Amino acid sequence: MESKQSAVMPGMEEEEEAIGFLDRVLEDEDVFLTEDGECSTPVSPVGNTSFTENQGESESDKGLLMRKLVLSGVLASEEIYINQLEALLLPMKPLKATATTSQPVLTMQQIDAIFYKIQDIYEIHKDFYDNLCPCVQQWDNKTTVGHLFQKLASQLGVYKAFVDNYKCALETAEKCSQCNVQFYKISEDLKVKGPKDSKEQPTSVTMEALLYKPIDRVTRSTLVLHDLLKHTPADHPDYPLLQDALRISQNFLSSINEDIDPRRTAVTTPKGETRQLVKDGFMVELSENSRKLRHLFLFTDLLLCAKLKKATVGKHQQYDCKWYIPLADLVFPSPEESEPIHQLHATPDHEIEEMKAKISVLKSEIQKEKKSNKGSSRAIERLKKKMHEYESWLLLYSPTIPFRIHNKNGKSYLFLLSSDYERSEWREVIQKLQKKDLQAFALSSVELQVLTGSCFKLRTVHNFPIISHKDDDESPGLYGFLHVIVHTAKGFDHSANLYCTLEVDSFGYFVNKAKTRVFRDTTEPEWNEEFEIELEGSQYLRILCYEKCYDKSKLNKDNNEIMDKIMGKGQIQLDPQSVQSKNWHVDVIEMNGIKVEFSMKFSSRDMSLKRTPSKKQTGVFGVKISVVTK
């Protein structure tokens, strides 16, 4: 990692206070820095160090001042980081206290997964801060700090354990937030106090954002060491110690570089801020009266729509940016504001079903070729190519649920999805990011080019969601019929007109398969409805719970528009071991404090096609079938 000009580690939004601290030091001491980081005007004394006011001050005096400024920035930055870790640890003790009671908020296992190694990281940095603080406050040309940075670098191993568990911590926190309202409220509003000398009020930060701070911190651990070495004379006692600390940090970062998902999903802006990729995925855009397959990238401050260019020989695939919207300018138009989709002509159901049948036939042929001793790889590739064409067509023409996005400064965009669950997910994550203090901006052509160029490496979704992209050793899912009984739902805080829909992944993407009747004016609906759902390589079942909208002003303008309010949503994996039983399997999906109880059992396609032979030799009617039909 290369050295930055700023003495403060960049890329952390909350560390503006640290930069402000440096600005105050500079203002107080009348120091002005040129673009290359050197002092351009005489400086007055800092701490116990004596400087002359003429232009002939020595390079060592300049270096001493810069070391003091760098370390002052480190100190301010460390204080902010420690406050963030304290805020993260604050709910841990009460959560552990309730874990042993009859009504635990979280289990001990969940608590350990979420807060893994946070206490250790906090103690390491608190010790570093407590030792560095007096060195900076009683600064002179004999002060040494190299041993402190060397010790800090030697303790980086604890971050390796944190990084390995990071994904588990996030997933556990997300799952617990969905299942437990109390924990959801805690995780969305953690208070981080400001620097001790400031009068700033504590700021509200989410648990997800705070869990990312150690990742951000460790990936930038070499920056400040570069800055310190730059302003430390080679004959200074600190120089070899800082070099050793830098070597340890660089080796450590190299060893975990591939393990840090958040690092691979972030890009640094020209201002040194971190723009992190939050979500991405393929989506169908309705543009110029035709359907286009796009890749949507949601960053912490903008939404970017891109098209994957065709790969040229000898070059990596690249994205072409179609448009972007800063999240500060992005709005979701209300049903009353939305224009009907005149140009949307839904593909007839029979065409969709015919294409699915063709894909099923091709899949069977591929399996036969693989089992055949004479099966040629060329024939299999030809069949796979045809299957890919059919699946791509299905992916493009089957979605019908509108997802509208509007730029406050002008243009609107329309996407079509096959799953309301996914539409809800996109909307929720965008609205969550918009709760932060976002500013409107415009990217220069160079910035946009750099950002679009980074999308290929940052993306988390690499292939279209179609079966032919799956490896042979991946789980093929279930083929047959899933019988589901939706029983009851509990946990609503007010009476409403309620119903549920069921989605399963079919042919690689999720589709709506069933819908219960509307249970009117209740907090505990009892549907007790049974559905038979055909599975095509399915691995998940999703249940969405809605409040029915009867407001005439919000009634459907388009056949596929869903105006009803989602009260909760959740999904379970269809485990072949537990599902493939002759008996009904009772389960519960928890969603935002709501619990939906249902039963299910699965019957394979082979079983459903078996017919019991007739015991009558002469048949039912005693004559040939041709005679009966005639």
Side-chain angles (χ1 to χ4, degrees):
M1 298 175 72
E2 293 182 4
S3 172
K4 303 290 181 190
Q5 291 169 4
S6 169
V8 184
M9 289 195 291
M12 303 175 77
E13 292 173 12
E14 290 81 358
E15 296 193 11
E16 289 175 2
E17 291 98 328
I19 297 168
F21 174 85
L22 270 180
D23 290 340
R24 291 196 296 276
V25 171
L26 294 173
E27 287 168 9
D28 291 346
E29 307 301 336
D30 293 320
V31 179
F32 298 92
L33 301 181
T34 60
E35 286 186 358
D36 61 1
E38 298 299 325
C39 298
S40 62
T41 62
V43 292
S44 56
V46 178
N48 298 327
T49 310
S50 173
F51 292 91
T52 59
E53 289 189 314
N54 56 45
Q55 294 295 322
E57 69 180 1
S58 68
E59 288 299 316
S60 61
D61 288 341
K62 283 185 183 179
L64 191 62
L65 172 66
M66 289 308 300
R67 275 165 57 79
K68 168 76 181 288
L69 292 177
V70 171
L71 290 169
S72 297
V74 171
L75 210 55
S77 173
E78 280 292 312
E79 185 183 359
I80 292 163
Y81 184 44
I82 288 166
N83 288 345
Q84 290 165 345
L85 293 173
E86 278 183 350
L88 192 54
L89 286 168
L90 195 62
M92 187 175 73
K93 287 184 179 178
L95 285 171
K96 281 187 173 181
T98 62
T100 55
T101 65
S102 58
Q103 292 183 313
V105 178
L106 301 181
T107 65
M108 283 301 295
Q109 188 178 0
Q110 289 169 332
I111 294 168
D112 290 341
I114 294 170
F115 298 98
Y116 187 66
K117 293 296 177 183
I118 299 294
Q119 183 69 44
D120 293 344
I121 293 171
Y122 169 78
E123 288 171 4
I124 287 168
H125 284 271
K126 185 73 169 65
D127 179 63
F128 174 72
Y129 177 85
D130 289 343
N131 287 302
L132 182 64
C133 193
C135 294
V136 176
Q137 289 173 346
Q138 299 164 18
W139 185 255
D140 61 32
N141 56 2
K142 294 178 182 177
T143 303
T144 57
V145 293
H147 61 291
L148 299 178
F149 284 92
Q150 190 183 40
K151 182 182 177 184
L152 184 65
S154 69
Q155 294 173 309
L156 283 174
V158 72
Y159 277 95
K160 169 65 175 166
F162 177 85
V163 168
D164 290 342
N165 181 70
Y166 177 73
K167 188 178 179 182
C168 174
L170 273 190
E171 289 175 351
T172 306
E174 181 70 24
K175 188 176 179 181
C176 293
S177 293
Q178 291 176 355
C179 299
N180 190 295
V181 177
Q182 194 175 351
F183 181 71
Y184 172 78
K185 290 177 181 176
I186 293 169
S187 64
E188 287 296 301
D189 189 26
L190 294 173
K191 301 295 183 185
V192 178
K193 63 186 180 184
K196 59 181 177 233
D197 294 330
S198 74
K199 296 180 181 178
E200 294 176 19
Q201 294 296 316
T203 54
S204 178
V205 185
T206 65
M207 182 173 287
E208 182 185 351
L210 289 179
L211 282 171
Y212 178 66
K213 295 303 175 186
I215 296 281
D216 192 58
R217 194 72 173 190
V218 74
T219 54
R220 299 173 185 281
S221 59
T222 58
L223 293 178
V224 72
L225 291 168
H226 275 295
D227 280 341
L228 270 175
L229 276 167
K230 181 181 176 182
H231 301 293
T232 302
D235 58 352
H236 194 284
D238 272 347
Y239 197 83
L241 299 177
L242 292 173
Q243 274 190 321
D244 190 47
L246 180 60
R247 178 186 57 78
I248 295 169
S249 298
Q250 287 174 331
N251 290 342
F252 173 75
L253 283 179
S254 298
S255 69
I256 66 165
N257 202 28
E258 289 302 311
D259 300 329
I260 305 179
D261 286 337
R263 179 174 165 74
R264 291 209 301 268
T265 59
V267 62
T268 303
T269 67
K271 294 180 180 179
E273 298 164 347
T274 300
R275 176 176 285 136
Q276 190 183 348
L277 179 65
V278 179
K279 184 177 175 67
D280 71 301
F282 289 98
M283 213 178 281
V284 175
E285 182 182 15
L286 200 61
S287 174
E288 299 174 355
N289 295 337
S290 63
R291 294 169 180 250
K292 313 280 188 182
L293 195 60
R294 304 295 194 213
H295 199 144
L296 225 55
F297 293 88
L298 176 62
F299 292 91
T300 39
D301 60 346
L302 66 85
L303 182 70
L304 185 144
C305 178
K307 173 189 175 183
L308 189 61
K309 291 181 182 178
K310 287 186 178 179
T312 53
V313 180
K315 288 189 177 181
H316 291 295
Q317 275 191 305
Q318 290 182 324
Y319 283 96
D320 178 29
C321 176
K322 306 307 291 183
W323 51 263
Y324 76 93
I325 308 176
L327 295 190
D329 295 329
L330 189 152
V331 291
F332 297 109
S334 63
E336 307 90 76
E337 298 168 336
S338 303
E339 290 295 322
I341 311 172
H342 299 297
Q343 69 271 40
L344 173 58
H345 299 289
T347 309
D349 287 344
H350 73 270
E351 288 187 24
I352 299 288
E353 293 306 315
E354 283 172 12
M355 188 58 73
K356 287 181 179 179
K358 287 179 181 179
I359 292 169
S360 296
V361 170
L362 278 174
K363 191 167 185 186
S364 298
E365 288 180 13
I366 291 169
Q367 293 301 324
K368 284 179 184 176
E369 283 288 339
K370 285 181 179 178
K371 290 176 182 176
S372 169
N373 293 328
K374 297 178 182 179
S376 69
S377 58
R378 188 177 294 177
I380 291 172
E381 286 306 313
R382 189 173 65 250
L383 290 169
K384 278 190 174 182
K385 186 178 179 182
K386 197 71 178 172
M387 185 170 160
H388 183 271
E389 288 175 12
Y390 288 166
E391 286 186 299
S392 298
W393 183 93
L394 200 60
L395 187 67
L396 197 61
Y397 289 98
S398 57
T400 55
I401 300 172
F403 178 46
R404 295 180 174 87
I405 291 168
H406 180 67
N407 188 332
K408 283 195 287 191
N409 299 320
K411 197 170 178 183
S412 293
Y413 303 93
L414 174 64
F415 293 94
L416 300 172
L417 289 82
S418 58
S419 161
D420 199 29
Y421 190 104
E422 286 171 20
R423 180 172 74 160
S424 173
E425 273 189 334
W426 276 95
R427 188 176 283 155
E428 283 172 10
V429 73
I430 290 171
Q431 289 172 337
K432 186 176 180 180
L433 290 170
Q434 287 178 323
K435 288 180 182 177
K436 299 173 183 175
D437 184 24
L438 298 170
Q439 302 296 321
F441 60 88
L443 295 176
S444 69
S445 57
V446 175
E447 287 175 325
L448 184 58
Q449 190 176 351
V450 170
L451 182 62
T452 308
S454 69
C455 286
F456 188 79
K457 281 187 178 180
L458 298 180
R459 62 182 182 165
T460 61
V461 180
H462 295 265
N463 295 317
F464 302 144
I466 53 182
I467 301 168
S468 54
H469 275 149
K470 291 188 177 181
D471 296 328
D472 292 338
D473 57 352
E474 283 190 55
S475 172
L478 296 171
Y479 290 84
F481 295 92
L482 185 70
H483 302 266
V484 182
I485 301 175
V486 183
H487 297 295
T488 61
K490 295 178 181 178
F492 298 97
D493 55 12
H494 66 277
S495 291
N497 303 309
L498 304 165
Y499 69 93
C500 284
T501 63
L502 309 180
E503 291 183 359
V504 295
D505 50 324
S506 178
F507 290 91
Y509 59 92
F510 282 88
V511 287
N512 188 356
K513 286 286 190 176
K515 177 183 174 182
T516 69
R517 70 184 188 279
V518 178
F519 214 94
R520 291 174 178 264
D521 196 25
T522 182
T523 56
E524 293 189 7
E526 297 180 6
W527 295 288
N528 293 316
E529 286 186 71
E530 182 175 349
F531 303 97
E532 183 181 81
I533 299 171
E534 186 173 6
L535 303 183
E536 292 280 353
S538 307
Q539 298 181 54
Y540 293 93
L541 169 69
R542 289 173 170 176
I543 297 184
L544 297 91
C545 197
Y546 293 86
E547 179 179 358
K548 183 69 179 173
C549 171
Y550 288 111
D551 184 346
K552 289 185 178 180
S553 67
K554 295 181 180 179
L555 288 179
N556 299 7
K557 291 188 177 184
D558 308 300
N559 293 334
N560 298 294
E561 189 77 81
I562 302 169
M563 304 296 181
D564 303 332
K565 180 183 176 184
I566 294 180
M567 304 296 285
K569 64 185 191 304
Q571 72 174 16
I572 60 159
Q573 188 165 1
L574 297 174
D575 178 22
Q577 299 300 322
S578 59
V579 174
Q580 287 178 333
S581 168
K582 292 181 180 179
N583 302 319
W584 288 92
H585 173 69
V586 183
D587 209 335
V588 173
I589 284 185
E590 296 190 23
M591 44 180 92
N592 303 336
I594 298 166
K595 294 182 179 180
V596 177
E597 185 181 302
F598 63 100
S599 303
M600 60 181 176
K601 67 177 180 178
F602 171 76
S603 56
S604 68
R605 189 169 284 167
D606 295 339
M607 292 299 293
S608 64
L609 293 175
K610 284 183 179 178
R611 298 287 181 264
T612 306
S614 173
K615 292 179 181 178
K616 295 181 181 179
Q617 295 297 319
T618 55
V620 178
F621 298 99
V623 292
K624 289 184 178 180
I625 188 83
S626 58
V627 178
V628 176
T629 53
K630 189 175 180 180

